[in-house]
Amino acid sequence: MSERGLFITFEGIEGVGKSTNMQTAADLLGAEGIDFIVTREPGGTPLAEEIRQLLLSPREEPVHELTELLMMFAARAQHLHTLILPALARGVWVLCDRFTDATYAYQGGGRGVSLDRIAELERFVQGEVRPDHTFFLDAPIEIGLRRAGRRGQPDRFETETHQFFERVRDVYRQRAEADPARYHRVDASGALDTVQAALREILHPLARRWCGGRV
Ligand code: Z5A
């Protein structure tokens, strides 16, 4: 039986470089001969991507924070149980752009939903499943928003206030500090090659150890 793959997530405020650095991680795993998939939340399966569209589209009707929360977890249930867990069971690594830490940060920190309520849904949808490692790419809000601002039409989250993103970042930081075994905080404010080097320095030993355990 193949060894279970590792579940690696990338978190941080928008524009910090999650997608860019996931590509760096993918290149490293490819060079090590590790099978992996790259996916994202909300989304990752056709149904979950449809929910993503509903969540991100700007709309006139105000979206209640509990509706948003439940839609995040509805997409996650589909993604986790039909794509992520089967891949991990086959010995495939999963690189995921955001996961439940984003719910604590955005719906909890940003929207003010109780963190206990989020924890209840996390247990309900995921049982004991948590990412094995989480790269928390951290940079001041101004930097993330400036990088993200180079793109087109803003989505429903991108129009939020500076204070909203400060609360989001605060929750990420608190969670990262509370569990240093899982979270790897990477300073994402500097030049891209410096950030990529920091990421490789953490990921490379994990990949080597996993490959060693396989032989
Ligand atoms: N959301 C939620 O509320 N609750 C949840 O549970 C989940 C999500 C799962 C969609 O996420 C929204 O869903 C998200 C939170 C909410 N909204 N917000 N905000 P998303 O992940 O699809 O959207 P995003 O965070 O806005 O992704 P992004 O803007 O694409 O950011 P990124 O992936 O971190 O950045 P990037 O695309 O890699 O880089 C942005 C630009 O900066 C690009 O031009 C890069 O070349 C450049 N870059 C990257 N790194 C550097 C460095 N180091 N130096 C200079 N330039 C750089």
Side-chain angles (χ1 to χ4, degrees), residues 66-193:
L66 289 182
T67 312
E68 186 176 277
L69 175 70
L70 291 168
M71 287 171 78
M72 289 293 174
F73 272 106
R76 182 161 301 136
Q78 182 69 11
H79 187 211
L80 181 69
H81 293 285
T82 71
L83 183 77
I84 296 177
L85 290 177
L88 295 174
R90 293 195 309 274
V92 172
W93 285 38
V94 175
L95 302 181
C96 190
D97 192 340
R98 299 190 182 280
F99 195 64
T100 307
D101 289 300
T103 311
Y104 282 100
Y106 282 79
Q107 281 63 54
R111 304 276 192 233
V113 174
S114 132
L115 300 183
D116 289 343
R117 173 73 54 86
I118 297 172
E120 276 171 38
L121 284 170
E122 181 180 41
R123 277 192 298 275
F124 177 56
V125 170
Q126 299 169 217
E128 296 301 312
V129 178
R130 303 289 179 275
D132 297 298
H133 295 276
T134 295
F135 288 96
F136 166 42
L137 300 172
D138 192 27
I141 312 297
E142 300 73 28
I143 293 185
L145 295 187
R146 192 169 61 238
R147 288 180 190 160
R150 294 173 196 155
R151 292 176 308 214
Q153 276 297 93
D155 66 33
R156 209 169 53 78
F157 289 94
E158 288 168 346
T159 51
E160 283 297 341
T161 60
H162 192 283
Q163 289 81 354
F164 176 92
F165 290 110
E166 287 290 3
R167 295 196 299 275
V168 169
R169 187 183 182 207
D170 283 348
V171 171
Y172 273 132
R173 291 166 78 112
Q174 286 156 17
R175 291 179 65 75
E177 273 164 30
D179 187 0
R182 163 153 82 95
Y183 295 90
H184 307 282
R185 182 184 169 275
V186 173
D187 179 357
S189 60
L192 182 56
D193 54 356

Side-chain angles (χ1 to χ4, degrees), residues 188-202:
S189 60
L192 182 56
D193 54 356
T194 313
V195 179
Q196 288 170 319
L199 171 77
R200 284 194 204 96
E201 201 173 309
I202 300 162

